Amino acid sequence: TAIDLALKQFEHAGNMTERYGALAALVQSDAPARFDALEAFHQRYLGDALVLDKWFQLQAGAWRWAADAAPTLERVRELLAHPAFAIRNPNKVYALLGTFFRGNPGEFHTPEGHVFWAEQIIALNGINPQVAARMARTLERWKGFAPRYQVTMQAALEKVAGTEGLSPDVAEIIGKALG
C-alpha cells in the first residue's frame, strides 16, 4: 500500500517537494518502480543543478533491501560518470560522495567502500584539497569501530598517507587519524 501511495504522489505531485518526498520513499524501498521514478525525476529537473544534487543524494544514501541486490557503491561509481556530475564542483562531490561516505554507513563501511574512499580522497586531493580534506574526515574516528572494520579503514588511511603530493590539510587529517 505504501508503495502505491508513493507512486501516486510521485505521478500527481503539484510541486518538486512533493515529488521528491515520494521519490525518496520509492528509492528507500525495493519497489522496481523506483528506477523509472528516478529517471522521470532526472528528466523533469535536468536543468536544475540544485535539484539534481538532491537526486544524487537520494541514490548515494539508498540501502539494499535484498542480499542479492547490487551494492550502492556500484551505483555511486556509475554516477561519477554521469554528465550532471562534476568532480570539480564541491556541491556535486558533497551530494554524491559526502552522502555515501557519511550518510550511508551500512553500504559504505565495507572493504570495497574503504578502498573507494581512498581512491576518491587521492583524486580529490589533486583537484580541490579543501574538499578532499573535508571528505577525509569521514574516517578520522576509525579506531572507534569494530576491529573487522578497523583493518580496512586503516589500510585506506595508510594508502592515502603514502600518496606523494598530499596537501597539507589532507596530510594533517590523515596523520592525526593514524597517530
Side-chain angles (χ1 to χ4, degrees), residues 100-133:
F100 182 65
F101 296 154
R102 291 192 174 109
N104 200 343
E107 291 290 319
F108 167 58
H109 288 299
T110 65
E112 299 80 14
H114 298 149
V115 167
F116 177 73
W117 173 88
E119 294 167 356
Q120 297 311 306
I121 300 306
I122 292 166
L124 286 166
N125 180 71
I127 297 167
N128 188 330
Q130 290 79 24
V131 172

Side-chain angles (χ1 to χ4, degrees), residues 25-155:
L26 291 168
V27 167
Q28 295 297 358
S29 76
D30 65 347
R34 71 186 182 275
F35 301 112
D36 290 339
L38 277 166
E39 182 56 30
F41 190 88
H42 174 264
Q43 289 303 317
R44 183 178 192 106
Y45 299 103
L46 191 57
D48 191 327
L50 295 176
V51 175
L52 285 184
D53 287 349
K54 295 172 101 26
W55 181 78
F56 283 120
Q57 287 174 326
L58 272 180
Q59 294 175 81
W63 56 80
R64 291 181 283 169
W65 285 90
D68 62 343
T72 303
L73 177 57
E74 286 183 22
R75 183 63 180 151
V76 170
R77 284 189 185 277
E78 290 171 9
L79 290 170
L80 286 173
H82 191 278
F85 181 79
I87 194 85
R88 294 186 180 284
N89 181 325
N91 289 339
K92 300 294 182 210
V93 173
Y94 299 144
L96 183 61
L97 298 178
T99 299
F100 182 65
F101 296 154
R102 291 192 174 109
N104 200 343
E107 291 290 319
F108 167 58
H109 288 299
T110 65
E112 299 80 14
H114 298 149
V115 167
F116 177 73
W117 173 88
E119 294 167 356
Q120 297 311 306
I121 300 306
I122 292 166
L124 286 166
N125 180 71
I127 297 167
N128 188 330
Q130 290 79 24
V131 172
R134 185 168 179 191
M135 294 292 101
R137 291 193 174 279
T138 306
L139 293 186
E140 69 184 343
R141 294 196 167 104
W142 66 279
K143 292 178 183 176
F145 282 78
R148 68 186 175 111
Y149 296 108
Q150 288 181 15
V151 171
T152 56
M153 290 175 169
Q154 183 177 10

